[in-house]
Amino acid sequence: MKICKGLILFIIFILTFSNAFSVEFNSIDSLRSALNQAKGDEKISLQLDLALRINETKINEADSLSQEALKAAQRIKNRLLEMRAYLILGTISPTFEEKGISQNYLNKALQISNEINENWYKGEILLRKGSYYHQNGNELKALELFNESLQACRLSENYRIMGATYSLMGTIFRINGLYDRAIEYIINSKLNYEKVGFTEGYAWAAYLLGRIYADLKYPQKAMEYFQEAVEIYKKIALTDRNENGIAICYEQIGLLNMELGNLNEAHNNIEYVLKVHTDNHSEYGISNAYKNLGMIEYHQENYRQAEDYLNKALKVKKEMGDLLSQPSVYEYLGLCLFKKGQQEEGFKQIFYGLKLAQENNQKKIESDIYSKLADTYRELNDLEKAVLYQDKQINIQDSLLSGAVNIKLDQLQAIYEIDAQNDQIAQLEKQNEINTLHIRQQKTYQFITIAGFLIALFGSLITYWFYRQMRRKNLELNEANASKDKLFAIISHDLRGPVGTQSSFLYQITSRFDEFSPNEVKEILINLHKSSETTSELLENLLAWARSQTNKIDFNPTQLNVSEALANALESIKHVAENKQIKINSENSNNIFVLADPDMLQAIIRNLVSNAVKFTNRGGVVLIKAETKDNQNALISVIDKGVGIEKSSLNKIFDIHHSHHTSGTEGEKSSGLGLILVKDFVERNLGVLSIESDPGKGTVVSFTLPLFL
């Protein structure tokens, strides 16, 4: 007999569901909660997971979620998620009796899987397509698709779907009487489930073996396998609260008990099945339970109660369009009517059931109806018809035993060819595994060799790196020592000179004050003041430079008006220019704003203008010019017409180890530290310092600062 649509959907659901659903979520509520928090790709994936999870109970919501996920996946051009959406829509659609739409969805999913070379989901897509053809009686096409599913599963190592595929292929062989092949495929199914520890697979394999022994009329052996499956499903139900697996086993146990004459026990078994399917709102399960209860009531000779159950079953099955289960219902309705004395109406129902079984090509049900007709005519002493239907039953049983049910001879040959191809593929895979092992060994040797070389190279690089680090540290240490020597040189030469001069002048004034005229005292005080200013300037630069070298000077860039910054800086040194009768002119705009540290900018301007004054002749002019260089930087220049700098000295002017001591136009001292400090501060403010100078013609010192945008 054909495996019915509802059972196929259940098989695929329990054998593939946990593959598609994330193990992180133990309940629909937790999945919904996660969905509310998710965005982007994750949200689409969770929508699809939820749709698959609620497919059995909330079909409309599942369809809506999948359609929304499909549109979102297409919008962001995520082909993998788009493929999954089509797959799940193809899964949902059969519950709407939209088989054509289902196939369209699955075909689109298969097309995308081929385009992106994706095999994991491809195996499931082919499994579902094959199930569709199996439901519609095209066993050969179903087996071809199942075979392709196995290929995809092998490539992606999707052992769970591979187990489901072997399971359905074994089912096809079982319902067509090829029991040896069925057992072989069911064992393959179990082995693949073992690879992923899929407990439901063990239960399902036991269930299928029970069906085989039930078909072969070994009820006790069949009962053992069904009981084994029930125990596994009961353990699973403690975790996931899903009793569907228990129900399908108890349905078969109930039918076996009915055949063995244990009618009360059979009734209890089917009552439990009815409760499970009622709780799950499974119309197919409910209708089957009513049918089985009707059969049990018939054997208990409760014909009115049996007729009531059978009519309930028939009503639901007609509403569902389930033609495959109706022949048995009509058969037992007819038998009930016959027992109630309504012989004509009874035969009418039985023969209508026979007609449906023949149209559906349901040979086993057809055989059972012939058997019941033979018994009925025997009761009526119509031996001719009894023998007629007995012969018809024997002919069908012969065809069942020869393995020709539902499959023509050429189809049977094709099935064996597919089977042989699978064996050949399996052998090739074994050889491929051996070849792969040899290749892996060779790669391991190569890896060890390369690894040894890389380790040696890495060791050499580490050694070289340490050498470079030590060399850099030595250079830094040498530079630090040179800076220290320069610091001491400045202190001993540039600082000691002015301090000694001050001390000498003070000594002369205090020891010979009465000998000096007022003009002489004034001259001494003027020289003393100049020496103090030189010392103060040197000390200020020296402290700033030392703090800069030790990274202890604060850097706080802020928005500054260049015009205001220049005015503030010039205020502190204008008396120096006034003493030499030097005029300081400014050309700048009030609308130039830069991003710089205010204290550093003050020091930069003060040092540059002080140097310009120092090397400009009395009565000269120093020009300060500020302008925007480009859209990113401001350019500030200090221009004098003083003594200038020799070309040979320009390259060394910013090197503390080579800085020279040049006196101003009136003997002012200079250590060269001011320009070094200026360069450091300009660069700290992301600027660039440049100098252009000609001896006897003057000097232009320019620097940039980033504009405040």
Side-chain angles (χ1 to χ4, degrees), residues 1-8 131-140 142 171-172 174-176 211 215 284 288 291 322-325 356-365 400 405-407 411:
M1 146 176 102
K2 295 270 182 212
I3 189 167
C4 53
K5 180 188 73 175
L7 185 55
I8 286 181
S131 301
Y132 168 80
Y133 284 100
H134 176 35
Q135 293 173 52
N136 288 278
N138 192 340
E139 308 289 11
L140 183 57
T171 299
I172 290 177
R174 178 187 67 79
I175 63 178
N176 287 285
R211 294 295 299 268
D215 290 347
Y284 171 79
N288 256 16
K291 181 192 74 171
D322 179 11
L323 297 176
L324 297 178
S325 299
L356 289 178
Q358 290 170 339
E359 289 175 353
N360 296 335
N361 203 19
Q362 294 172 285
K363 297 296 185 180
K364 289 185 179 179
I365 294 180
L400 286 171
V405 180
N406 299 330
I407 301 178
Q411 290 178 315

Side-chain angles (χ1 to χ4, degrees), residues 51 54-67 89 92 95-96 98:
I54 64 176
N55 178 27
E56 290 292 297
T57 55
K58 298 181 179 180
I59 299 172
N60 291 325
E61 183 184 357
D63 182 70
S64 177
L65 281 168
S66 301
Q67 293 287 359
L89 283 168
I92 295 171
T95 60
F96 288 105
E98 297 172 346

Side-chain angles (χ1 to χ4, degrees), residues 370-383:
Y370 283 140
S371 174
K372 296 295 192 299
L373 285 170
D375 292 340
T376 302
Y377 280 113
R378 193 176 296 114
E379 289 181 23
L380 296 173
N381 291 320
D382 189 342
L383 298 181

Side-chain angles (χ1 to χ4, degrees), residues 192-231:
N192 279 280
Y193 289 140
E194 285 179 349
K195 292 180 181 179
V196 289
F198 187 40
T199 310
E200 289 92 332
Y202 308 151
W204 185 247
Y207 171 83
L208 290 179
L209 289 171
R211 294 295 299 268
I212 289 174
Y213 281 102
D215 290 347
L216 293 172
K217 303 302 180 182
Y218 290 102
Q220 296 299 336
K221 191 67 175 176
M223 187 71 77
E224 291 178 13
Y225 280 112
F226 288 137
Q227 290 290 357
E228 178 185 347
V230 163
E231 293 306 314

Side-chain angles (χ1 to χ4, degrees), residues 150-168:
L150 292 179
Q151 309 279 356
C153 290
R154 288 189 183 100
L155 291 173
S156 60
E157 298 183 352
N158 190 343
Y159 299 116
R160 181 165 296 178
I161 297 297
M162 193 183 298
T165 305
Y166 272 124
S167 175
L168 281 171

Side-chain angles (χ1 to χ4, degrees), residues 7-8 45 77 132 164 172 215 259 300 415 428 482 695:
L7 185 55
I8 286 181
S45 182
K77 298 181 180 179
Y132 168 80
I172 290 177
D215 290 347
E259 290 182 16
Q300 288 180 321
I415 288 175
L428 290 174

Side-chain angles (χ1 to χ4, degrees), residues 435-446:
N435 294 337
T436 301
L437 182 60
H438 288 314
I439 293 171
R440 285 179 180 174
Q441 289 176 340
Q442 293 176 357
K443 287 184 176 179
T444 300
Y445 296 144
Q446 293 175 356

